[in-house]
Amino acid sequence: MYCENNVKKTHTNMSVSPSPHHVVLFPYMSKGHTIPLLQFARLLLRHRRVISSSNDGEEPSMSITIFTTPQNKPFISNFLSDFTSSIKIISLPFPENIAGIPPGVESTDKLPSMSLYVPFTRATKSLQPLFEETLKNLPQVTFMVSDGFLWWTLDSAAKFQIPRLAFFGMNSYSSALYNSVSVHQLFTKPGNIKSDTEPVTVPDFPWIRVKKCDFVPVCTEPDQSGPEFDLLMDQLMSTEKSRGVIVNSYYELESTFVDYRLGVRGEPKPWCVGPLCLVNPPKPESDKPSWIEWLDRKREERCPVLYVAFGTQAEISNEQLKEIALGLEDSKANFLWVTRMDVEEMIGEVGFEKRVREHGMIVRDWVDQWEILSHESVKGFLSHCGWNSAQESICAGIPMLAWPMMAEQPLNAKLVVEELKVGVRIETEDGTLEGFVSREEVSQKVL
Ligand SMILES: O=c1ccn([C@@H]2O[C@H](COP(=O)(O)OP(=O)(O)O[C@H]3O[C@H](CO)[C@@H](O)[C@H](O)[C@H]3O)[C@@H](O)[C@H]2O)c(=O)[nH]1
């Protein structure tokens, strides 16, 4: 890519490099999509250029403009607070008066329900006129990376002759399986399967068996129409016409599936730029939140800790939450549970936190998950297998209890359990994705 060429030039000639590249990033308004693109910004800024041959002065070989909306700007500024001189953040107002979406909600983790994903995502198109007005007045842009969900940014990029790369949060294993299942019409051909839970062999990967419920319904229902399907088509078409796809993963982790994707005709080239969690800067020792102090104490007591977290979008019923809480309590394992929910209130068990106080801590704040997974006390991760969480766990060397809940998470769980063999699957009672998980299943797998 551009940055590699530039670095080569600076190192071979040791002469003053050409003026820096200017990159535009436009993350989708969801933490699981925004975080890896911000990490990608960090990665780009690591590339240095020589600015003076006399004193070997260097500076980042790129400047970056990040587009977002007002409510998301503080998170982004905070995340990249050490790079203020090379990064500019521009807020475009998010539309109001969208049916079902409360005013001020500009990120999927704040949505009352993920069933609002389609109107929320469609609403982002109203940012397009101001986005283009702003692009007109920016210094020349070398390339743009925008989220695959923001399909309309391809048209904006084309208007200004900017090469656009699409960022997709999925790994190559999941993308390859989605592609293969679709090409072979494994689930969409009528009569091919008897139930959503029947295992079927994937023709391109004969050692893998998948179930219909491992895939989002919009991709497997024979009747392929409706607002969700139309949105998906817009996103896929715009990705197909892009210059490339940025993937937060690495070749060595899933080479068979990267090779498969490289061979798909008509698809833009995937660039594996991960694992992006490794660019996270170390935290200062002086700045310890209470949960890190708690983990420090567990290290002194030589007690291994299970980290429990289900990402930023999972929707868990009160009944299911109660089984998780009581399963963790029964297991007697030390656990650190990060959740936005008020567990006691939702499970109707006042005193739960006090009861488990000796071995469990529940945190409702935003945490630095990478810092937690990197802590010596953490020896396991009960996770929904969002790709960021799963890859962070792999990079930190922490085995997972894989409990997928939505999106491509069932495939991430298969990758973790069956291909990489670094996790154990939590099973629902009926084998479906939405099925119920008993407290016994939780406590037995934890042990
Ligand atoms: O208090 C918190 C909570 C989360 N995180 C981070 O937030 C990210 C969450 O991402 P992920 O684990 O992928 O979960 P989701 O938020 O559920 O991610 C969505 O986006 C992912 C990437 O596309 C998909 O793989 C998931 O299925 C989809 O639900 C991770 O980097 C976490 O480290 C924190 O740092 N602190």
Side-chain angles (χ1 to χ4, degrees):
M1 279 173 78
Y2 302 94
C3 43
E4 283 167 1
N5 296 338
N6 202 37
V7 163
K8 210 177 272 168
K9 197 175 265 173
T10 58
H11 283 269
T12 50
N13 298 347
M14 281 315 283
S15 61
V16 178
S17 311
S19 53
H21 291 292
H22 177 213
V23 179
V24 162
L25 301 181
F26 203 149
Y28 178 65
M29 302 80 179
S30 147
K31 297 286 183 295
H33 288 235
T34 299
I35 289 172
L37 257 195
L38 300 184
Q39 291 165 334
F40 183 60
R42 283 187 169 281
L43 186 69
L44 293 180
L45 291 173
R46 277 193 183 173
H47 289 272
R48 316 290 292 177
R49 70 182 192 115
V50 179
I51 50 169
S52 141
S53 51
S54 56
N55 61 2
D56 280 355
E58 281 189 351
E59 66 172 24
S61 55
M62 322 217 173
S63 66
I64 296 181
T65 302
I66 302 177
F67 282 87
T68 188
T69 66
Q71 294 293 329
N72 290 299
K73 190 175 176 183
F75 182 83
I76 295 178
S77 332
N78 189 36
F79 199 95
L80 296 169
S81 56
D82 46 336
F83 278 115
T84 43
S85 59
S86 316
I87 287 183
K88 187 168 169 195
I89 305 168
I90 297 178
S91 280
L92 307 174
F94 196 80
E96 290 184 358
N97 306 323
I98 310 158
I101 301 178
V105 170
E106 298 178 5
S107 178
T108 58
D109 52 302
K110 301 276 186 332
L111 282 175
S113 156
M114 278 308 288
S115 63
L116 291 162
Y117 158 74
V118 175
F120 177 83
T121 307
R122 277 290 183 205
T124 62
K125 185 157 180 1
S126 69
L127 275 56
Q128 187 172 3
L130 192 52
F131 177 52
E132 292 176 4
E133 207 45 48
T134 316
L135 280 181
K136 216 186 271 175
N137 299 315
L138 285 184
Q140 198 187 353
V141 180
T142 318
F143 66 95
M144 175 194 297
V145 181
S146 56
D147 196 285
F149 283 8
L150 303 175
W151 76 99
W152 49 269
T153 53
L154 175 75
D155 293 336
S156 307
K159 281 183 196 162
F160 297 91
Q161 285 93 44
I162 301 171
R164 183 252 186 166
L165 292 103
F167 171 76
F168 263 92
M170 266 160 74
N171 52 48
S172 299
Y173 174 88
S174 301
S175 303
L177 261 55
Y178 263 98
N179 188 286
S180 178
V181 159
S182 154
V183 166
H184 296 284
Q185 295 180 288
L186 224 52
F187 300 113
T188 43
K189 211 188 246 168
N192 247 11
I193 53 154
K194 292 182 208 67
S195 80
D196 285 5
T197 52
E198 179 188 336
V200 193
T201 300
V202 184
D204 294 307
F205 309 104
W207 67 97
I208 301 177
R209 284 158 73 76
V210 290
K211 300 183 283 188
K212 188 177 175 187
C213 65
D214 288 331
F215 297 83
V216 290
V218 68
C219 295
T220 53
E221 290 306 332
D223 173 25
Q224 303 228 299
S225 63
E228 194 179 353
F229 183 75
D230 293 344
L231 176 62
L232 177 69
M233 284 302 114
D234 284 343
Q235 294 166 339
L236 293 179
M237 296 296 284
S238 118
T239 301
E240 219 170 271
K241 292 183 197 145
S242 297
R243 195 64 74 87
V245 177
I246 297 292
V247 184
N248 178 17
S249 184
Y250 52 105
Y251 182 75
E252 294 75 6
L253 186 75
E254 40 170 9
S255 50
T256 306
F257 306 96
V258 179
D259 289 341
Y260 173 88
R261 288 193 68 193
L262 284 166
V264 176
R265 278 187 44 208
E267 287 284 313
K269 182 172 175 177
W271 294 87
C272 295
V273 300
L276 290 170
C277 57
L278 294 184
V279 303
N280 287 336
K283 285 270 160 181
E285 264 290 307
S286 54
D287 197 11
K288 280 190 185 174
S290 58
W291 49 93
I292 297 294
E293 283 175 354
W294 187 82
L295 288 175
D296 284 351
R297 225 172 27 251
K298 291 291 162 192
R299 179 178 51 206
E300 279 152 30
E301 294 165 9
R302 295 180 189 279
C303 293
V305 173
L306 177 75
Y307 173 52
V308 183
F310 303 109
T312 61
Q313 299 181 156
E315 293 174 326
I316 303 174
S317 69
N318 292 1
E319 198 190 7
Q320 184 61 82
L321 201 69
K322 187 167 184 169
E323 296 301 295
I324 300 172
L326 300 182
L328 288 172
E329 182 178 18
D330 290 350
S331 76
K332 303 271 187 302
N334 288 277
F335 67 87
L336 173 62
W337 184 1
V338 174
T339 169
R340 298 282 98 77
M341 288 171 272
D342 183 335
V343 175
E344 282 198 354
E345 190 185 308
M346 295 185 82
I347 68 174
E349 292 231 8
V350 179
F352 170 76
E353 288 193 43
K354 208 167 164 194
R355 266 195 343 251
V356 296
R357 198 172 45 195
E358 281 306 303
H359 65 109
M361 181 177 195
I362 299 178
V363 173
R364 278 184 212 99
D365 296 313
W366 179 264
V367 300
D368 181 338
Q369 178 167 294
W370 176 245
E371 185 184 24
I372 291 176
L373 285 168
S374 311
H375 196 283
E376 284 165 84
S377 295
V378 175
K379 301 292 184 202
F381 184 11
L382 174 55
S383 168
H384 71 311
C385 289
W387 180 235
N388 299 295
S389 290
Q391 188 167 225
E392 286 159 17
S393 205
I394 292 164
C395 291
I398 306 298
M400 271 165 272
L401 278 178
W403 184 347
M405 298 185 174
M406 58 177 279
E408 91 297 16
Q409 294 156 19
L411 299 182
N412 298 340
K414 281 178 82 67
L415 171 67
V416 162
V417 174
E418 297 173 10
E419 294 287 323
L420 305 173
K421 303 192 193 319
V422 293
V424 172
R425 182 75 179 249
I426 294 274
E427 305 288 351
T428 60
E429 283 179 348
D430 62 3
T432 66
L433 184 65
E434 301 83 19
F436 193 67
V437 173
S438 67
R439 76 182 70 169
E440 289 79 18
E441 170 72 1
V442 173
S443 64
Q444 280 164 19
K445 292 277 165 72
V446 167
L447 289 174

